[in-house]
Amino acid sequence: MTETDKMIEMNNLNRNGLRSWPHSQDYCITCGACSSSCPVSGIDGFDPRKIVRMVSLGMQEEIVSSRWPWICTMCGKCENVCPMEIDIPGLIRKVRSRRDRDKVPGILHKGLDTAIQTGNNLGLPQEDFIFILQDVGEEIAQEPGFEDFTVPVDKIGANILTTIHNKLVNTHTDDLKHWWKIFFAAKEEWTVPSINWEGTNWGLFTGDDERMKIMTGRVAENMERLQAKNLLWPE
Amino acid sequence: MTVKVLIAGNGASAIYTAKELSDNGIDTVLVSGKAIDRVNFLKDTIQKEDTGILIYSDSEIISCQGCVNDFQITIRSNEKDSSENISGIVIAEEYRRKDNFESYGLKPSPSVISLSEITNAIEGRSNHSALLKEGLKVLFLTGCFQESNPVILNEVMTRALQLQKKYHQEVFILTGNLKVGGEGLEKLYRETKEAGVFYAKVNQIPPVIEQLDNGSVTVVYQDEILQSLAKISPDMVVVDEELLPSENLEALARVFELNQDKTGFLQTDNVHREPVFTNRKGILAAGPSRRIADHHAYLDDAANAALVMMNLTGGKIDSDPVGKARIGVVECARCLTCFRICPHKAIRLEGRVTVYADACEGCGICIAECPREYITWTGPGISDDLEKIHISGTAEQTEDFIPVIVAFCCTRSAGKSFRTAADQFQSSLPKGLKIVEVPCAGGISMGHILSTFMKGADGVILLTCHPGNCYSEVGNQYAKSRAENVKSRLSVMGFEKERLHLETIAANMETDFVRIVNAFQKQLLKIGPSSIRKNLKNS
């Protein structure tokens, strides 16, 4: 793999730069439990153990410019199985945070920019969003037993406020129906906010703390504005 | 009579053992190969002067007669010989260290040093302030080409931790498999990691180590995680050491007639022998004399040695206990076969040849080897057990032929696996199986085997301990060579040699026991009843 084809010059590495990271990476006993638990291990030579090793070695430039940290899906299995309790997802997120923002892989970078500007990763205008919700709502109302179904947008004082993953109002609208029908059948008081409804937080995913806070703050604002009691944040 | 114990050695192991013994009121004699001052030695080590420990300084043990509870030891100091009557002996010599420069292809230099040198510098025993300079890149080489040793590993990690933490150096450790199984080693490993010591494991491809004429070293190795080459040019290289037996050990082994392992330590890997025991009763090997695995074992061995010694009587046992060898007084031709072969050195040559009953382990090797069969067991022996076996005659091979199998089982291994098998798989054992338990397979003589065939047995099987596991060191080897000898004779006599079989087995192999005896039965079913059995009159 290109990342480590070059001879590692141990004398030139400054391990102290990364040693202060609080993810226990130096405890690695190279057992490989993380590698075998990882669902994307082997893709383009990726292996969580290699990330831990590179950080531990202090290979700062190599790891930040490497493609490997971006292959990880942040599922957290590795951390679960690690006998030395190394926080591998935290470590990978830290590595991602070290990359210049305009070098973050395209879709993530663009999606997050759009979300900050428009409230969702797709840049979907508010009227289009509401139209899609109502359209899905009408489809449900055609089913027997759901004749009175409507989508409660911006309802004040609901028991549950739910965020929406952008793909559910894009390509996967049918996936909205299952839980909405459960809400209806359970006579639940629920609502969907008309603005800043985006459920994903690519600030979290790309290691961008500042923009992660903005995205999270918007959800909190929605909760306050609509006086909702509970938050359902499936992402 | 009081118990008096002799300790050979003058290091930590000897001191701990001496302290344990004297704390338990046992008279102790310490023989040191190098010169030591009694008062200072006791003050510095045992921390009291009035210990009653007798010290022979700068002395050599030159002979040992007698047996446990009654050894006569000759000690030579300043060309003067003294004699001591001793109940038990503890060999407690220290390790000898050998640097591994050569195996790493390095020449020692001011910046290429041994583990002992860095230890001395850190402990302030040598003036090597240059070695402790802040900011140095230090590379430890340990266990790259041979198994790492827990004692050495402990020292490597302790020194690495000190260099990294106290002297603010940057420490790298290049190692093979790191065996952190010893007590406290895993904790120490974590501490070094926490302090920032860096480890690289080189198991698949050996590192390439280059030393220039100016002494500087460059190491290129394969980082096994990243599968990529890495290069380090340290300011200083610390090379590990190998732990070898003390230079006194070979002479002591000769004087006391003790077995040594391949590298010269006093205990072979024998599963039937307890810690600190040697092939001789009343002579123990403690600490580095038997290659202990970690520094905590110094204390364990000292305590175990004291426990064994506290059970000594301080005098000979007068009564004749059961299960020992006894040499026929009149018949003995003094051929000295028994003296030569006894693995426990329990044969006494004074006037006539007798057995030291205290030292005899009852293996029976001498009984089986005595050319005139003049040695017997005190109490019942193998022949008495054979007497009890009755075999009835049988006709030509028929469908209901049940082969009679006599299995000689060493009580330490096959005897145990048989008892478990009888308990768990009784119905799977051959119906004609008869067991003769023996104290050691080395006690089964050619006479025993042949007389078993004469009684009409269809097959004889010898089940001995695995190679290297014989409590009497060589009993299983004797059994093997006798079996081969009898087989060749059977062929000459026109008797099927397949009727005799030998297998090695361990005490926990009950399923293998069942498999082995059934396979043997299958073979006998094919051959049919023995010609001797066919001619037996049915009784």
Side-chain angles (χ1 to χ4, degrees), chain A residues 47 50 54 67 92 132 146 148 159 162 180 205-206:
Chain A
D47 172 347
K50 289 182 182 169
M54 289 171 85
R67 198 174 116 67
I92 289 185
I132 292 166
F146 292 91
D148 296 334
N159 185 38
T162 171
W180 285 5
F205 201 59
T206 57

Side-chain angles (χ1 to χ4, degrees), chain A residues 12-203:
Chain A
N12 300 343
L13 295 175
N14 176 16
R15 300 187 49 231
N16 294 328
L18 302 180
R19 278 209 50 232
S20 60
W21 289 10
H23 308 292
S24 314
Q25 64 276 4
D26 283 343
Y27 286 149
C28 176
I29 54 172
T30 69
C31 69
C34 56
S35 317
S36 53
S37 76
C38 175
V40 291
S41 208
I43 294 179
D44 291 350
F46 171 78
D47 172 347
R49 197 163 49 150
K50 289 182 182 169
I51 307 272
V52 174
R53 183 71 166 180
M54 289 171 85
V55 171
S56 188
L57 275 167
M59 297 171 73
Q60 190 156 346
E61 279 168 35
E62 291 86 342
I63 189 66
V64 169
S65 61
S66 164
R67 198 174 116 67
W68 286 342
W70 301 94
I71 292 171
C72 165
T73 67
M74 293 278 184
C75 73
K77 272 187 172 181
C78 51
E79 186 192 6
N80 243 336
V81 298
C82 177
M84 304 309 279
E85 298 176 359
I86 300 172
D87 172 18
I88 303 173
L91 187 79
I92 289 185
R93 187 167 178 274
K94 187 69 122 308
V95 172
R96 290 179 180 179
S97 78
R98 291 298 168 102
R99 203 179 254 212
D100 288 346
R101 288 298 100 184
D102 52 2
K103 286 185 181 152
V104 167
I107 186 166
L108 292 171
H109 179 53
K110 212 173 124 198
L112 184 55
D113 274 355
T114 311
I116 294 296
Q117 285 161 21
T118 68
N120 66 79
N121 296 4
L122 303 171
L124 192 69
Q126 191 183 15
E127 61 262 36
D128 290 4
F129 174 67
I130 292 171
F131 173 81
I132 292 166
L133 294 193
Q134 281 168 352
D135 194 40
V136 174
E138 279 161 24
E139 279 177 30
I140 292 175
Q142 284 169 13
E143 293 181 35
F146 292 91
E147 290 81 0
D148 296 334
F149 183 87
T150 53
V151 184
V153 178
D154 279 349
K155 188 171 164 183
I156 306 287
N159 185 38
I160 290 174
L161 179 147
T162 171
T163 61
I164 304 282
H165 189 303
N166 59 70
K167 77 175 177 194
L168 298 184
V169 285
N170 186 9
T171 50
H172 290 65
T173 49
D174 264 8
D175 288 353
L176 284 170
K177 291 179 183 170
H178 312 297
W179 43 340
W180 285 5
K181 280 157 84 175
I182 293 171
F183 288 156
F184 182 80
K187 299 189 171 62
E188 188 57 86
E189 294 278 319
W190 65 288
T191 189
V192 182
S194 61
I195 52 164
N196 294 337
W197 42 265
E198 177 61 72
T200 65
N201 188 333
W202 286 359

Side-chain angles (χ1 to χ4, degrees), chain A residues 8 10-11 15 19 26-27, chain B residues 193-194 196 229 231 233:
Chain A
I8 306 166
M10 298 293 286
N11 280 42
R15 300 187 49 231
R19 278 209 50 232
D26 283 343
Y27 286 149
Chain B
K193 281 255 179 175
E194 219 160 280
L229 290 176
K231 188 166 104 185
S233 309

Side-chain angles (χ1 to χ4, degrees), chain B residues 376-396:
Chain B
T376 54
W377 262 288
T378 57
I382 296 179
S383 308
D384 300 285
D385 289 340
L386 282 174
E387 285 287 307
K388 291 179 205 146
I389 292 176
H390 296 288
I391 300 169
S392 50
T394 188
E396 289 296 326

Side-chain angles (χ1 to χ4, degrees), chain B residues 56-276:
Chain B
Y56 283 91
S57 161
D58 198 6
S59 301
E60 192 190 352
I61 299 167
I62 56 167
S63 81
C64 168
Q65 303 292 324
C67 79
V68 57
N69 287 325
D70 190 20
F71 288 112
Q72 294 88 47
I73 312 288
T74 312
I75 301 158
R76 181 167 292 170
S77 1
N78 292 324
E79 294 173 21
K80 199 178 127 264
D81 289 355
S82 332
S83 182
E84 288 281 350
N85 202 300
I86 295 289
S87 322
I89 293 148
V90 184
I91 315 280
E93 294 284 355
E94 292 303 308
Y95 284 119
R96 175 164 55 97
R97 283 167 169 246
K98 185 183 156 285
D99 60 60
N100 279 334
F101 290 118
E102 210 186 315
S103 63
Y104 291 105
L106 288 170
K107 283 199 197 82
S109 78
S111 61
V112 177
I113 62 170
S114 71
L115 183 58
S116 290
E117 281 173 86
I118 198 71
T119 294
N120 287 338
I122 292 174
E123 302 262 293
R125 285 197 292 266
S126 64
N127 184 22
H128 274 119
S129 52
L131 305 179
L132 307 175
K133 219 171 75 190
E134 195 174 315
L136 289 187
K137 275 193 186 6
V138 182
L139 175 69
F140 280 78
L141 296 172
T142 184
C144 295
F145 299 121
Q146 70 278 322
E147 281 285 279
S148 83
N149 172 300
V151 180
I152 290 294
L153 180 59
N154 189 359
E155 192 171 322
V156 166
M157 293 198 294
T158 305
R159 299 314 168 203
L161 183 62
Q162 284 168 316
L163 292 182
Q164 180 88 26
K165 231 174 157 173
K166 192 170 162 201
Y167 298 99
H168 306 288
Q169 299 187 339
E170 202 179 334
V171 180
F172 297 81
I173 297 180
L174 200 63
T175 174
N177 274 331
L178 211 60
K179 299 279 176 70
V180 291
E183 203 168 330
L185 291 187
E186 194 171 336
K187 179 168 169 274
L188 188 56
Y189 171 71
R190 279 195 84 133
E191 280 170 2
T192 59
K193 281 255 179 175
E194 219 160 280
V197 172
F198 181 78
Y199 289 81
K201 204 159 70 172
V202 282
N203 275 334
Q204 295 159 4
I205 302 169
V208 178
I209 302 169
E210 256 187 312
Q211 186 174 25
L212 297 181
D213 289 339
N214 65 9
S216 69
V217 174
T218 301
V219 179
V220 175
Y221 66 93
Q222 163 103 340
D223 186 294
E224 292 181 1
I225 307 298
L226 296 174
Q227 295 288 312
S228 143
L229 290 176
K231 188 166 104 185
I232 178 166
S233 309
D235 304 313
M236 177 165 92
V237 178
V238 181
V239 175
D240 72 348
E241 288 162 313
E242 209 177 331
L243 294 178
L244 298 173
S246 151
E247 48 269 272
N248 294 336
L249 225 47
E250 195 165 339
L252 288 167
R254 199 170 51 242
V255 168
F256 291 111
E257 299 179 82
L258 301 174
N259 297 128
Q260 293 173 277
D261 72 3
K262 271 178 280 179
T263 43
F265 289 100
L266 289 187
Q267 210 180 40
T268 49
D269 285 334
N270 186 323
V271 294
H272 295 309
R273 191 167 289 157
E274 285 159 60
V276 307

